[in-house]
Amino acid sequence: AIAIMPMHVAITPNRTISASTTLSIRYRMESVVYRLLFVNTVAYGKGALFNMTTKTIDLSKTDWIEAGFQALITSGPTAVSVEPLARQLGVTKGSFYWHFKNRTMLHEEMLNHWETVSTERIIELVESTGGTAREKLEQLVGFALHASPGKYGGARAEGVLRAWAASSERARKMLARIDKRRRAYLTKLFKEAGLEVPAARHAADIVYLASIGAQTARSTGHTIDHLSTWDHLLDRLLEQT
């Protein structure tokens, strides 16, 4: 069973975690989420430089992308446009055109950025943490429980992006890539845990679909999944090993 650890446990970016260490899903969630935030710094292309004395604001491409996500979550795809975003950020349109040729390019960059932060970076962090296949699965469950960072819309982000895909071919293709990549990684972990290929694929799809359902419920303010539920699910899926 997965032990519940206090939410106030201090996490440091350089902390090493032994594969033999017993960690709760909640602890793994805190650890990897902290590290995700830690790498999202100026060194990784994030951050606006504010010069309040001259009232000059130099916005990075990532700042515009994050503003685009906030507009998308609150008002839908039509709100992701140059003038509304410039007003929201308190800058002129010239700042936008420094980074993007047009609105379509912003949409493309948003989708590419989401693919990186919501999938590739998470997989990299889980792999770098190490541990057994079961422990890595618990970390991914932690991300499903935590959903996405607030600057990208929090728990509502995935649902809004899937709704966008219904009317946008670009969004549809991006989500198809994400779904394929996430399912493949889950399958890999279940295979590493000892399941044969067919069973590993089925287990991966069950966990992935369950995580989408959990995010959908949380986006409406309802948390109907619990740590014990995910613990039980992983136990049942891995009992064939």
Side-chain angles (χ1 to χ4, degrees):
I2 298 170
I4 306 300
M5 296 185 68
M7 291 296 289
H8 63 269
V9 174
I11 309 296
T12 57
N14 297 321
R15 177 168 181 167
T16 57
I17 301 177
S18 169
S20 62
T21 302
T22 301
L23 298 174
S24 68
I25 283 182
R26 181 175 298 177
Y27 180 87
R28 294 180 184 284
M29 174 182 70
E30 288 182 324
S31 177
V32 182
V33 168
Y34 181 93
R35 296 174 64 204
L36 181 64
L37 295 176
F38 180 75
V39 300
N40 206 7
T41 61
V42 174
Y44 284 77
K46 170 68 183 77
L49 303 177
F50 295 89
N51 184 337
M52 299 306 292
T53 58
T54 61
K55 297 184 179 179
T56 299
I57 303 178
D58 298 321
L59 295 176
S60 70
K61 178 183 289 188
T62 304
D63 293 313
W64 282 97
I65 289 172
E66 291 176 2
F69 271 102
Q70 292 297 326
L72 176 68
I73 298 303
T74 58
S75 304
T78 58
V80 186
S81 191
V82 183
E83 290 189 11
L85 292 179
R87 287 195 300 270
Q88 176 184 332
L89 292 169
V91 296
T92 65
K93 292 187 294 183
S95 175
F96 173 89
Y97 291 111
W98 180 262
H99 299 292
F100 308 97
K101 181 179 180 180
N102 50 40
R103 178 172 175 258
T104 299
M105 183 176 290
L106 170 61
H107 288 183
E108 291 177 351
E109 292 286 352
M110 286 173 60
L111 294 171
N112 292 337
H113 190 76
W114 179 255
E115 187 170 2
T116 298
V117 300
S118 73
T119 302
E120 296 303 329
R121 190 170 294 170
I122 289 173
I123 291 174
E124 291 172 4
L125 288 171
V126 171
E127 285 296 310
S128 67
T129 300
T132 65
R134 167 65 184 250
E135 289 168 345
K136 291 178 181 179
L137 285 166
E138 290 176 359
Q139 291 186 64
L140 289 179
V141 169
F143 276 110
L145 296 177
H146 184 78
S148 60
K151 60 187 174 184
Y152 297 114
R156 297 177 59 192
E158 285 270 345
V160 171
L161 284 164
R162 291 185 184 280
W164 190 12
S167 60
S168 168
E169 182 67 11
R170 292 187 186 88
R172 187 192 67 77
K173 288 182 178 179
M174 182 275 296
L175 281 171
R177 290 195 304 270
I178 283 180
D179 288 340
K180 182 178 180 179
R181 177 72 169 112
R182 292 171 177 174
R183 291 171 63 209
Y185 183 59
L186 280 166
T187 300
K188 172 180 175 291
L189 292 182
F190 277 110
K191 286 170 61 180
E192 289 178 1
L195 295 184
E196 297 296 327
V197 174
R201 287 174 178 166
H202 291 313
D205 286 346
I206 289 170
V207 169
Y208 190 50
L209 292 171
S211 70
I212 292 174
Q215 288 179 344
T216 300
R218 286 167 178 263
S219 71
T220 60
H222 299 289
T223 303
I224 58 177
D225 60 292
H226 302 283
L227 296 179
S228 59
T229 303
W230 290 100
D231 190 31
H232 178 80
L233 176 61
L234 290 178
D235 283 344
R236 298 291 76 75
L237 292 173
L238 293 172
E239 65 185 2
Q240 305 172 56
T241 60

